[in-house]
């Protein structure tokens, strides 16, 4: 039972039916927002309260709010999928709720109880149900819960008043080119996270620190940036907002181990399960960039892909670095990559049985 009751304060829609249909016909990623949002507030004195669903719109924030100065902020990403019978479901939300709690602990923010997190998702999706794309599409409603230090205070300490919101945005493919093999730039100047830092937390700061690397990647004609560990710059961490996998010719599926500097991806964990079930030997390991590049050249590694909630599973076709370029397989989309993607999305859209109990109904 959720302690918070997200009551809706208004039912007036912000966007007309025609405009919504136009947006849903080609939503892209992250540019359009729905009619409503959920919010709640935590204070040191009273804990969580003030839960409501309100019209989507600007947040009033003091210029002295701690988040604007010290970046005390965390977030999550999930999707709502429409099934053929019209019902709406989300994927492994408990895992996101638990990760939000872990991120909160790391950023000295209050933990939101799991039931309240789930209630906030239900409330937004119930209010914004017409925004969930049709079951016949490969689109979804992306849900973005986030929490920040709204307190007006410039001393450096954990905030005594914190705001939580869930906003929603209809989503097509994350990458503008769609599900096409990515070109990935290997950053040797920047790292995303250091030992003892916030690398495993889903906090805005990690993404902020990835932006220069991402810009450098774009300047090199690449779609994404790959970060190496900050200490030795020898092992693979992750991309700017996605985990990374490599498949060898002899059926081993490799991904960096959770050493504290990479995000514990929900898609990552689901892939490990699905891959093991189809007989691949999954290994969470120390992936040395030198070995990976060598094995790409020798043909030992045959496929690589990026994964995350937004990106789902996206093939990688090429790596670029100052020292050269390396093609992955034949540079196209790997067969196993696409087949894992198909299986995962078939589960999410209810096209095959949910044998792991990963889906939660929202509407
Ligand atoms: C997600 O996959 O949900 C993320 O938060 C990553 C971001 C690149 C959109």
């Amino acid at each position: 039972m959720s302690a918070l009751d997200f009551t809706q304060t208004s039912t007036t829609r912000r966007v007309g039916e025609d405009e919504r249909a136009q947006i849903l016909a080609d939503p892209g990623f992250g540019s359009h927002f729905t009619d409503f949002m959920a919010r709640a507030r935590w204070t040191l004195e009273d804990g969580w309260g003030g839960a409501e669903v309100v019209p989507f719109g600007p947040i009033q924030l003091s210029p002295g709010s701690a988040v604007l100065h010290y970046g005390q902020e965390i977030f999550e990403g999930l999707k709502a999928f429409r099934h053929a019978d019209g019902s709406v479901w989300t994927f492994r939300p408990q895992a996101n709720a638990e990760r939000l709690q872990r991120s909160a602990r790391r950023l000295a923010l209050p933990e939101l109880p799991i039931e309240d997190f789930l209630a906030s998702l239900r409330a937004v999706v119930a209010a914004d149900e017409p925004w969930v794309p049709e079951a016949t599409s490969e689109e979804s409603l992306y849900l973005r819960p986030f929490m920040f230090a709204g307190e007006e205070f410039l001393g450096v300490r954990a905030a005594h008043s914190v705001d939580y919101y869930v906003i929603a945005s209809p989503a097509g493919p994350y990458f503008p080119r769609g599900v096409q093999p990515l070109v990935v730039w290997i950053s040797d100047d920047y790292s995303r996270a250091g030992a003892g830092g916030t690398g495993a937390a889903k906090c805005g700061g990690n993404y902020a620190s990835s932006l220069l690397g991402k810009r450098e990647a774009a300047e090199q004609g690449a779609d994404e940036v790959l970060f190496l560990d900050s200490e030795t710059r020898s092992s693979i961490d992750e991309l700017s907002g996605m985990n990374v996998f490599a498949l060898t010719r002899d059926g081993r599926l490799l991904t960096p181990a959770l050493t504290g500097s990479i995000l514990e991806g929900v898609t990552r964990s689901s892939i490990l399960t699905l891959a093991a079930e189809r007989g691949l030997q999954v290994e969470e390991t120390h992936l040395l960039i030198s070995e990976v590049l060598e094995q790409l050249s020798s043909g030992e590694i045959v496929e690589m892909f990026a994964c995350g909630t937004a990106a789902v599973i996206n093939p990688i076709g090429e790596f670029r670095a100052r020292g050269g370029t390396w093609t992955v397989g034949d540079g196209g989309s790997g067969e196993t990559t696409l087949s894992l993607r198909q299986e995962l999305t078939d589960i999410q859209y209810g096209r095959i049985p949910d044998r792991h109990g990963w889906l939660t109904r929202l509407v």
Side-chain angles (χ1 to χ4, degrees):
M1 252 298 268
S2 167
L4 295 180
D5 179 13
F6 287 86
T7 43
Q8 193 165 348
T9 59
S10 154
T11 53
T12 307
R13 294 201 176 276
R14 193 176 64 94
V15 180
E17 212 172 311
D18 289 352
E19 193 187 338
R20 185 175 66 232
Q22 227 172 12
I23 292 170
L24 289 179
D26 184 17
F29 185 86
S31 322
H32 302 284
F33 295 91
T34 58
D35 298 316
F36 299 104
M37 60 187 184
R39 69 181 177 201
R41 172 162 290 163
W42 174 92
T43 64
L44 190 59
E45 303 82 56
D46 301 326
W48 287 105
E52 52 186 3
V53 172
V54 296
F56 177 91
I59 296 173
Q60 265 220 340
L61 210 54
S62 161
S65 285
V67 65
L68 299 177
H69 304 272
Y70 310 127
Q72 194 189 6
E73 185 270 353
I74 56 175
F75 66 97
E76 271 303 325
L78 308 88
K79 283 175 172 169
F81 304 95
R82 178 140 358 237
H83 287 193
D85 65 358
S87 58
V88 179
W89 301 73
T90 193
F91 185 74
R92 305 188 71 184
Q94 288 85 354
N96 294 86
E98 286 165 13
R99 189 171 64 187
L100 189 72
Q101 291 187 331
R102 289 196 297 278
S103 300
R105 285 198 287 277
R106 180 61 185 86
L107 273 286
L109 283 161
E111 288 179 42
L112 181 70
I114 289 176
E115 282 310 318
D116 293 330
F117 177 85
L118 298 178
S120 68
L121 303 183
R122 278 202 189 91
V124 169
V125 176
D128 278 327
E129 193 269 341
W131 282 96
V132 183
E134 286 308 311
T136 45
S137 75
E138 275 291 317
E139 269 119 31
S140 59
L141 184 63
Y142 185 78
L143 306 174
R144 170 54 63 85
F146 61 105
M147 191 191 291
F148 59 88
E151 184 186 357
E152 187 181 43
F153 179 63
L154 291 185
V156 180
R157 60 146 169 75
H160 291 176
S161 116
V162 167
D163 294 278
Y164 169 73
Y165 281 77
V166 184
I167 56 173
S169 171
Y174 177 72
F175 290 104
R177 290 196 291 120
V179 187
Q180 295 295 327
L182 300 172
V183 175
V184 173
W185 170 251
I186 304 168
S187 174
D188 55 9
D189 292 330
Y190 310 112
S191 281
R192 179 188 165 273
T198 56
K202 202 162 174 66
C203 64
N206 292 340
Y207 294 76
S209 82
S210 79
L211 297 178
L212 203 50
K214 187 126 192 218
R215 185 155 81 189
E216 194 178 84
E219 285 161 4
Q220 300 292 334
D223 306 288
E224 257 301 327
V225 55
L226 178 73
F227 292 107
L228 306 176
D229 75 285
S230 63
E231 218 169 314
T232 66
R233 294 269 159 78
S234 63
S235 65
I236 292 179
D237 266 1
E238 64 179 41
L239 303 172
S240 74
M242 281 146 256
N243 296 119
V244 65
F245 278 83
L247 177 70
T248 65
R249 196 169 35 201
D250 59 357
R252 288 178 302 130
L253 188 67
L254 317 172
T255 195
L258 301 173
T259 53
S261 66
I262 66 167
L263 192 76
E264 198 172 335
V266 178
T267 309
R268 173 189 179 280
S269 130
S270 310
I271 290 167
L272 288 170
T273 301
L274 296 179
E277 284 170 358
R278 51 170 78 191
L280 294 172
Q281 189 187 323
V282 297
E283 292 177 24
E284 299 178 70
T285 179
H286 205 61
L287 267 187
L288 289 175
I289 186 68
S290 55
E291 288 180 8
V292 166
L293 296 179
E294 245 173 63
Q295 290 174 5
L296 285 174
S297 300
S298 70
E300 176 62 24
I301 289 179
V302 288
E303 297 184 28
M304 288 192 70
F305 60 83
C307 70
T309 297
V312 193
I313 293 178
N314 205 106
I316 297 174
E318 183 185 309
F319 285 92
R320 287 185 192 161
R322 294 221 161 79
T325 67
W326 293 261
T327 305
V328 182
D330 62 4
S333 301
E335 203 179 305
T336 302
T337 301
L338 291 185
S339 149
L340 281 167
R341 185 180 203 284
Q342 188 66 48
E343 185 176 6
L344 180 65
T345 53
D346 280 347
I347 294 171
Q348 292 172 330
Y349 287 91
R351 295 186 291 245
I352 60 173
D354 173 25
R355 61 186 187 277
H356 307 93
W358 281 342
L359 297 182
T360 293
R361 185 165 178 178
L362 294 175
V363 177

